[in-house]
Amino acid sequence: MAYVELHARSAFSFLRGGSFPERLAERAAELKMPAMALCDRDGVYGAPRFFGKGREHGVRSIVGCELTMEDGFILPVLVESRTGYQNLCRLLTQAKLRGTKERSPVNWNDLAEYANGLVALFGMENGKLEAGPVPKLLAAFGKENVFVEIQRHLTRGEQRRNQALIDLARHHRLPLLATNGVLYAEPRQREVLDVFTCLRHHTQLDLAGRLLEQNAERHLKSGAEMSALFRDLPEAIDNTERLAERLEFTLENLGYQFPTFPTSGDETMEGMLRRLTYEGARRRYSARLPRKVVRQIERELELICRLGFAGYFLIVWDLVKFCEENDIMVQGRGSAANSVVCYCLRITLCDPIKYKLLFERFLSEGRNPRSWPDIDLDLPSGDRRERVIQEVYRRYGERGAAMTANVISYRGRSAAREIGKVLNFSNDVLDRFSNLFANGDFPHTLGFQEQVIKAGIAPEHPRLPAFMRLNEAMRGLPRHLGQHSGGMVICQQSLDRVVPLERASMPGRVVVQWDKDDCEDLGIVKIDLLGLGMLAAIQETLTLCSERGREVQFHKLPQDDPATYEMIRKADTIGVFQIESRAQMATLPRMKPTCFYDLVIEVAIIRPGPIQGGLMHPYLARREGKEPETYFGYDELLKPVLERTLGVPLFQEQMLGMAMALADFSGSEAEELRRALSFHRSHERMEKVQVKLRAALERKEIRPEAIEQIVNAVSSFALYGFPESHAISFAYLAYGSSWLKVHRAPEFYAALLNNQPMGFYAPATLIKDAQRRGVKFRPVCVQASQWPCVIEADGAIRLGLCMVKGLQRERAERLIAGRPYEVLGDVQSRVRLTKEEWRTLAEIGAFAVLGKHRREALWTVEDEYREDDLFPMTTASVKECPLPPMNPAERVRADYAGTSVTIGRHPMALLRASVPEAWRAVDLAHASHGTRVRIAGNVICRQRPGTAKGVVFISLEDETGIANAIVHPWVFERDRLLITQEAFLVIEGVLQARAGTQIVQAEKIEPVPHGALPGSASHDFH
């Protein structure tokens, strides 16, 4: 009989397995194994990926799990039926929700309730034989569902332990089962497991000793190898196939059902959806609907209802309704914006009829039955979004709804640091590596070995080869389970019958054990409730406007405001949504947006897809009239698809449209292409679609050069290409935030400051940008500041107590409640603060309103107030301060130390004398192309995008604005330490001035001597 491995752990056992589940399935196929069981520790984390790859390779994937019992005993169980799977999920959920994030064992007393449909293995996983659990297992599972597991790893003492197991099996008349207790697919992966073991036990490889496996025998072995190992116990091998035949359940059909939506009377969900859609259509368009609108609504409703999605649309509509009724801004985005039904239900703001959007990008005839349409809802980040999430939990219960997981993997810095710890590299070397190579690097500019050597590890270091090897082997392996930013799954009945649930680190949150891609692959519906910082800032801006009698109806803003477009064309977009990055600001003067759709293109064009595919520059050249419009030589077929983007495909919908127009792709083939474009985890999926697309184009006798252009464009979009509908949704926020910056600047900047961290720029840069636009600021004041930044009667922004580092909100509220104060002693007598809080408030000038300069206030608060003092503190009772007031540089230093911002002079204004030859940022517009210049400033941004072939972009802020520099890879490697560590830089090079943009091509880089003068935080390598 064939051998079937029925006990294997993957890396989804988190530090207890060394291989991806996909690799285990591939290896099983290579060994001609008909089936295999995955038993990850305390969960089914790796089961979906194991199932998917097993199905692809003809290996039946059996679901199992190692349960950690309350006494530490490890109990492997295998799933026989769907009932057994549901019981396993419920048992794990009960343990996870009862326990803590760190420890959640299963109680022995719970086994009997959930044992039906499960098979238990009793063996040596704990390293010692304990017969005590056997009666408990027999009582819970029944004799026919308990197997005694034998493993042979050629280790000392193993034969004696196995003989005891054989004797125990014969005593209880239990069948023997041979397994290899697999921990990795191939022997070479054993060293990864050794690293994981050291990490789990917080030790180094030199000190791990017997904690490590004695050899590399716990890899996946062939039937022949296992038969040879167990030639004296052939029944133990035969039983693996017999048991595998019993274990019929797979993840093919989980029995998942999306909740039905409650309707009144005899109305069906389909009828209700139709009614609401047409009611909304009349509000969106007119009482007498245009024929093309009715035609599209009917087409969509027919498909939605036939595929059984009516309830899904109604549930999302109801969530949007909840948001509207509770003053929570909401905007649907993503491919849902391609649907006129979503538009009529007020789920999205984008009119797909007006923009001629492709509905097939959202929902198509050939859609995989497991794959549900994807509707993402953007919500204000923070408390408002949390209210919506908690409303979903309230409606469906703790076990009926959960967040999707996010698998945190070993990447660059985290992998290198943990490997370094295990190999006993010094902390200073690891710190240096982390600082120099904060987010990995680019092999074509500097190999990993060179990075390590630059960090201080000698090339001849005996452990360098192991460090290199392990870093490669661990890349991408799961590190721990996190929480997705907003994906929620809900279920008709208990979700814990479909997938185990566990507590998230955030209170009040429950997560499933699978990520969003796993859920989608298995047909589990996800609704994304995404927190958007800009949406929170916009909502607060609107509230402030209303409070000040300057009300704005955000969704009715004029789309053609000249002042707004003028600001955008000047790239004066610091603080606005999406178009504030250095790359966007460099493109805006070339794009010269004059209408809303120009912003749609601007949002989409600065993405890895269009850039990597070589599509951005042709589009800009055509827009500037430097290149003619072409349509791959097939104008008649492709002009309707590409005309709005001048013949250059910039959106995913256009890729689908090209495939359907040129290659006659069917709905299902277009759906396959859509999924490949949206599925970032699988290169294989993209390659398969490319082969199919190429073959279809060849059958249609498309010219070879056009085929190459089209296939290359499609390939680039697999990296990251926007759907047009997504870009339109984001463009609404980009335009709206720009309009608010132009017409409601005080309210807009106050809201930005109150919703940090968000966006591209630090609060210090936002304040300087606001000041350049004429917005006035006032400092933190113990008498006048609220917790948030507020706008005073004359339109000036008063910095809030939220800006003060280390000041707890509860104590800030006490400060506010104790007002008014006449002298500093009043504050000290009424409010209890920590010594550090008193010092910070004094140093930033918060007590200036009470007649104290900063050092005088600091002198006073150092004289600690005592409640039982016979004489209350008065100004006279404090010794006169002998210290002089702070000078401007000292005030700036204190501002940054206490609040990370200053409303006084920019630090560069104080340093200007040390770099007199440096051009000010504002003056670069007057310099000629090719001029050699020097620029100087506080580094506020360092970027090294993957599409730039190792080039680094640096933004320097001075007292007049921002200057940009481009640093070629060889210059960056020469000056890496200087560039990554210095807060102020002087950069010398040749000015490139084209189409209204100025950028300095760096040749020489030096630090600006700045003493202890601080700068604002830099947005680095994101």
Side-chain angles (χ1 to χ4, degrees), residues 659 663 665 688-698 710-711 714:
F665 260 34
K688 286 179 183 176
V689 175
Q690 284 176 11
V691 169
K692 184 177 284 190
L693 177 61
R694 189 184 293 275
L697 291 170
E698 288 170 352
I710 292 166
V711 171
V714 168

Side-chain angles (χ1 to χ4, degrees), residues 617-638:
H617 293 297
Y619 174 80
L620 291 173
R622 293 179 190 193
R623 189 176 175 90
E624 293 169 331
K626 297 176 181 177
E627 184 180 299
E629 286 183 36
T630 59
Y631 294 88
F632 298 92
Y634 294 91
D635 294 31
E636 187 177 336
L637 291 171
L638 294 184

